[in-house]
Amino acid sequence: MDPHDQQRDRSYDAGDGTSPTVPTGVTESEEATPTTEATGTAEVAGSTGSTEAEGFDHEKAREGARLLLEAVGRDPDARGVSDTWTRRVPAMFETLTEGRREAAKPTMRTFEAETDGLVIKTGIPLYSMCEHHLLPFYGVAHVAYKPEASMVGLSKLVRYVRWRSRRLTTQEALTSGIATGLADELEAEGVVVEVTATHMCEAMRGVETATATTTHESVGELSSGDRERFRESVRDSDWTPDVF
């Protein structure tokens, strides 16, 4: 794992599988910043010099970055950009595609469910990469699930969203992937996910306007009351786009 990611993980809360005090129906709001959780140990298994077998080819990444520099008229061996293609770009793409590698997935340690109400986590920071333009999109995810037999520490929802976001994808596919992935991981009765994001491929090219796009996905059985409780939690989270 990139040292910056390890340092960031150490700022997340322990999420060690011990239960917070969970009333019937849990709501926790989080500011849209990646440093709101404090931790003792990082629990996301990162890449340690990923090999081609693990899904990342450093040599091809270096070759591709060098060719792109040449394509835009830069000398790849010039001072200031020689490290760009030999080290920085490959390392960046290795980190930003961790979501394709199972070894980087957070351990979703569960414990016996202490509520049959909806567990809600709002304001989860989200950063991903558009597969069409290789430019970032970023924003926030709101997640809720209805436990069946087991629950997971709230910080694990943050870690799972971060891991799932680290891939080349679209916002629609990412929203769906978070919902279906959490439903499988937690064997939950129902999961609902809402993502609002700004796309740099719109802001920096094309219409050159920064706008917010919202996508929504649900899996399983959720009552109309559960859905309304989720909507109220999102509204009450006081999160607003930062451009956004």
Side-chain angles (χ1 to χ4, degrees):
M1 176 177 288
D2 186 278
H4 295 294
D5 293 334
Q6 293 177 337
Q7 179 63 36
R8 185 161 58 244
D9 276 345
R10 283 191 283 271
S11 69
Y12 278 78
D13 65 38
D16 57 3
T18 59
S19 171
T21 301
V22 183
T24 299
V26 178
T27 302
E28 179 168 326
S29 179
E30 174 174 286
E31 295 295 329
T33 169
T35 57
T36 53
E37 298 190 2
T39 184
T41 58
E43 294 192 40
V44 179
S47 173
T48 55
S50 175
T51 67
E52 288 78 355
E54 294 171 319
F56 190 85
D57 190 322
H58 284 270
E59 188 56 40
K60 286 185 177 179
R62 284 190 286 268
E63 179 184 359
R66 181 185 177 97
L67 288 172
L68 281 173
L69 287 171
E70 292 177 348
V72 299
R74 293 297 302 270
D75 176 3
D77 296 319
R79 182 179 180 181
V81 295
S82 60
D83 279 351
T84 300
W85 66 273
T86 58
R87 182 170 58 86
R88 295 192 184 103
V89 169
M92 177 191 69
F93 272 96
E94 182 180 16
T95 296
L96 297 184
T97 58
E98 281 182 342
R100 294 184 64 249
R101 297 189 284 279
E102 285 293 312
K105 186 173 74 172
T107 301
M108 303 295 282
R109 186 180 298 116
T110 60
F111 50 91
E112 184 177 352
E114 299 177 358
T115 178
D116 57 2
L118 204 62
V119 179
I120 305 171
K121 184 78 166 173
T122 59
I124 300 174
L126 179 146
Y127 302 91
S128 193
M129 292 279 286
C130 168
E131 67 181 17
H132 299 146
H133 304 99
L134 300 187
L135 285 171
F137 62 92
Y138 66 96
V140 67
H142 308 293
V143 174
Y145 73 97
K146 192 163 189 176
E148 187 167 280
S150 60
M151 299 176 64
V152 71
L154 291 172
S155 71
K156 293 297 192 294
L157 299 177
V158 179
R159 295 177 186 276
Y160 187 84
V161 168
R162 183 178 62 181
W163 171 76
R164 195 86 195 189
S165 301
R166 287 184 169 176
R167 63 185 69 203
L168 302 179
T169 187
T170 64
Q171 182 174 335
E172 296 82 357
L174 177 57
T175 307
S176 177
I178 293 171
T180 57
L182 283 175
D184 290 342
E185 291 283 343
L186 304 178
E187 298 182 349
E189 288 187 25
V191 175
V192 59
V193 176
E194 182 176 295
V195 171
T196 299
T198 288
H199 295 247
M200 298 312 292
C201 53
E202 288 185 341
M204 296 177 66
R205 55 166 299 284
V207 296
E208 297 187 12
T209 301
T211 61
T213 299
T214 298
T215 48
H216 186 278
E217 186 74 34
S218 60
V219 177
E221 299 295 328
L222 290 172
S223 69
S224 58
D226 287 333
R227 294 179 187 277
E228 181 55 31
R229 195 171 301 113
F230 176 69
R231 296 302 318 145
E232 288 176 357
S233 296
V234 172
R235 287 194 296 267
D236 294 344
S237 67
D238 293 327
W239 179 88
T240 55
D242 63 357
V243 161
F244 254 81

